[in-house]
């Protein structure tokens, strides 16, 4: 049964497709958007379209960026001998916010999950292995989440990298099990980084 006009229903439907947005929140957002001045709504719509059109994957670390290479990879002061592997650009942002990590990153865009049918080829693992070919990298720090998927991914990567002869470490488990890196405070993140152990 539909109480609203087709346009409102359509907007609610589109919004409810977004992650973390349930039907109720989608309705609230839809009515809020409709109550706003037209030019404000247009700015919102334009920023969504422009972001989608202009944001791409960094050719080196695969994070999302506006340029061919992200600001971190193109910064000559970053230490290219250390790569921290994270699941998402949000995790990268969490570590970057601490301002204490001087190496570079690699963003997998997901984690291996046999249950969800996500295999090693579905994340940016090939790109990571290619980066190790140069012989420049001395340490790979695996900072995937401490969920089952994150641990599975960490084990898989460590087995893959060991034969290459690069040191592989895992951030300490100060990070609570199942915790997303992005929700963890900086002190805990740094403690996890400092306490990393060899895999
Ligand atoms: Zn990059």
């Amino acid at each position: 049964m539909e109480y609203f006009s087709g346009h409102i229903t359509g907007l609610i439907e589109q919004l409810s497709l977004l992650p973390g947005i349930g039907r109720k929140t989608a309705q609230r957002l839809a009515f809020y958007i409709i109550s706003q001045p037209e030019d404000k709504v247009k700015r919102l719509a334009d920023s969504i379209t422009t972001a989608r059109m202009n944001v791409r994957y960094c050719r080196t670390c695969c994070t999302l960026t506006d340029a061919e290479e992200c600001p971190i990879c193109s910064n000559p002061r970053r230490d290219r001998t250390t790569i921290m592997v994270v699941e998402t650009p949000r995790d990268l942002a969490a570590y970057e916010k601490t301002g204490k990590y001087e190496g570079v990153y690699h963003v997998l865009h997901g984690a291996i999950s046999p249950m969800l049918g996500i295999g090693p080829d579905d994340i940016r693992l090939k790109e990571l292995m290619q980066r190790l070919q140069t012989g420049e990298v001395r340490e790979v720090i695996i900072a995937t989440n401490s969920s089952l998927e994150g641990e599975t991914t960490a084990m898989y990567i460590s087995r893959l990298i060991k034969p290459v002869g690069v040191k592989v470490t895992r951030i300490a488990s100060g990070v609570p099990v199942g915790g997303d890196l992005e929700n963890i405070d900086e002190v805990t993140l740094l403690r996890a980084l400092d306490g990393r152990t060899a895999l």
Side-chain angles (χ1 to χ4, degrees), residues 145-162:
N145 294 336
S146 51
S147 59
L148 179 61
E149 290 80 12
E151 294 300 345
T152 307
T153 308
M155 289 318 293
Y156 187 89
I157 296 177
S158 111
R159 274 204 296 263
L160 207 60
I161 293 181
K162 273 209 180 126

Side-chain angles (χ1 to χ4, degrees), residues 95-110:
Y95 263 102
E96 222 21 41
K97 240 181 22 210
T98 68
K100 296 272 164 56
Y101 175 67
E102 287 165 358
V104 289
Y105 297 90
H106 189 85
V107 181
L108 295 171
H109 293 278

Side-chain angles (χ1 to χ4, degrees), residues 20-146:
I21 307 288
R23 192 84 192 160
K24 258 191 190 155
T25 309
Q27 278 187 12
R28 198 153 45 83
L29 289 173
F31 286 116
Y32 173 78
I33 289 168
I34 288 161
S35 75
Q36 295 301 299
E38 268 181 44
D39 61 325
K40 196 175 163 194
V41 175
K42 191 173 179 310
R43 277 203 298 279
L44 172 64
D46 286 349
S47 66
I48 293 173
T49 317
T50 318
R52 180 61 189 89
M53 278 187 335
N54 293 297
V55 175
R56 54 173 115 175
Y57 297 106
C58 168
R59 68 164 175 212
T60 307
C61 74
C62 302
T63 196
L64 297 174
T65 180
D66 288 353
E68 223 175 288
E69 204 166 45
C70 76
I72 297 168
C73 290
S74 53
N75 181 347
R77 284 191 298 276
R78 299 300 289 238
D79 170 19
R80 282 166 178 69
T81 65
T82 308
I83 297 181
M84 187 195 290
V85 179
V86 292
E87 291 182 23
T88 67
R90 296 190 310 270
D91 297 334
L92 179 156
Y95 263 102
E96 222 21 41
K97 240 181 22 210
T98 68
K100 296 272 164 56
Y101 175 67
E102 287 165 358
V104 289
Y105 297 90
H106 189 85
V107 181
L108 295 171
H109 293 278
I112 297 171
S113 169
M115 267 194 1
L116 297 172
I118 302 169
D121 292 337
D122 300 315
I123 57 176
R124 302 286 178 126
L125 209 49
K126 254 198 330 276
E127 289 85 345
L128 174 64
M129 296 312 289
Q130 270 161 15
R131 293 177 72 181
L132 302 183
Q133 301 301 314
T134 61
E136 188 185 25
V137 180
R138 282 208 295 268
E139 182 180 354
V140 173
I141 304 168
I142 304 180
T144 50
N145 294 336
S146 51

